[in-house]
Amino acid sequence: MDVEVKFRLKDAAVHRRLTSILSPFRAGTLHQRNFFFDTPTNTLSSRLSLLRISFHEEEARCIISLKAKPTLVDGVCRVEKDKEEFDPCIGRACVEDPARLARIESRIMKRIRDEFGVGEGVGFVCLGGFENKKTDFHWKNLRVEVDETRYEFGTYYEIECESEDPDGVKKLLEDFLKKNGIPYSYSKMTKFDIYKSAELPK
């Protein structure tokens, strides 16, 4: 079970201000392009699961992941997540022809075949995707990620911090944001749910 604290930032100006304040702790920036898949009859989503292929740094790396049973309450997200490295060339081929997913050798895809009964006879469709830029900061012995997620309908800004002590981290981050005059709110939707809704949260 992955547990993350998630706060929404209002806009680009707030995002710039926060990354400027955190700049002494900057560890790097990751560029992602994420694509999502399901069967034509929504076999995975009907069981609260999600299949994703993500490309990092212009397809230098590719990761396939299966997420299940997400909850997001008061800025704390909990989700079951399994992932593995994937050949970027195969990943790109699957984006272009999702039917290939049912035939590839992969621990994640074997799980989907075994647990969801999805084989070649069922097939997959690509649900589309979005870009995400993650700026990492090593602050207070934490890895704090400040995200800029670009959708066709707008850009969403968010802070994420994975921790086994979400309540403690939540208070630490809130105190820091308030002290520095950074407006924020608890995230109420996952990035994929925002994508599906086709509009930024109000």
Side-chain angles (χ1 to χ4, degrees):
M1 177 75 70
D2 282 8
V3 183
E4 282 186 321
V5 174
K6 291 176 174 280
F7 294 159
R8 181 186 180 182
L9 299 173
K10 181 181 178 182
D11 53 29
V14 175
H15 175 274
R16 285 194 299 270
R17 184 176 175 191
L18 176 60
T19 54
S20 176
I21 292 169
L22 285 172
S23 60
F25 310 100
R26 187 175 179 275
T29 300
L30 174 67
H31 296 267
Q32 284 182 302
R33 177 69 179 168
N34 302 301
F35 294 91
F36 301 88
F37 302 85
D38 204 340
T39 69
T41 55
N42 302 314
T43 304
L44 302 183
S45 59
S46 67
R47 293 172 59 179
L48 303 179
S49 298
L50 182 65
L51 177 63
R52 182 184 75 180
I53 292 177
S54 60
F55 299 95
H56 297 189
E57 304 305 332
E58 300 296 331
E59 302 188 16
R61 291 181 65 209
C62 181
I63 295 175
I64 185 170
S65 59
L66 178 65
K67 296 185 176 184
K69 302 175 183 176
T71 62
L72 181 51
V73 179
D74 293 334
V76 177
C77 181
R78 292 175 169 85
V79 62
E80 298 174 11
K81 184 162 65 175
D82 190 8
K83 62 183 180 181
E84 67 177 312
E85 291 277 345
F86 205 47
D87 183 324
C89 293
I90 296 177
R92 176 54 57 190
C94 290
V95 171
E96 294 173 356
D97 179 11
R100 290 174 179 261
L101 279 165
R103 303 191 297 270
I104 61 172
E105 294 298 322
S106 156
R107 179 177 56 79
I108 297 290
M109 293 311 302
K110 184 177 186 304
R111 274 195 63 189
I112 290 175
R113 287 191 288 268
D114 294 344
E115 296 176 22
F116 297 87
V118 179
E120 287 190 52
V122 177
F124 290 89
V125 293
C126 181
L127 306 177
F130 50 82
E131 296 180 7
N132 191 33
K133 183 174 80 172
K134 288 181 174 289
T135 305
D136 286 348
F137 301 92
H138 292 171
W139 176 79
K140 301 284 188 181
N141 295 317
L142 299 170
R143 179 186 178 187
V144 178
E145 298 175 341
V146 182
D147 286 3
E148 180 181 348
T149 306
R150 299 185 184 118
Y151 302 102
E152 291 183 356
F153 47 85
T155 303
Y156 183 75
Y157 303 94
E158 190 174 47
I159 304 170
E160 295 183 340
C161 185
E162 189 172 331
S163 174
E164 295 179 359
D165 178 23
D167 292 333
V169 167
K170 186 175 169 181
K171 184 179 186 309
L172 189 65
L173 283 172
E174 288 193 275
D175 288 347
F176 170 78
L177 295 171
K178 289 173 183 176
K179 179 181 177 181
N180 287 278
I182 301 293
Y184 70 94
S185 59
Y186 295 156
S187 297
K188 297 179 180 179
M189 299 173 69
T190 67
K191 291 182 177 68
F192 181 70
D193 285 339
I194 294 171
Y195 173 72
K196 285 196 302 181
S197 74
E199 64 178 358
L200 297 178
K202 305 298 184 185

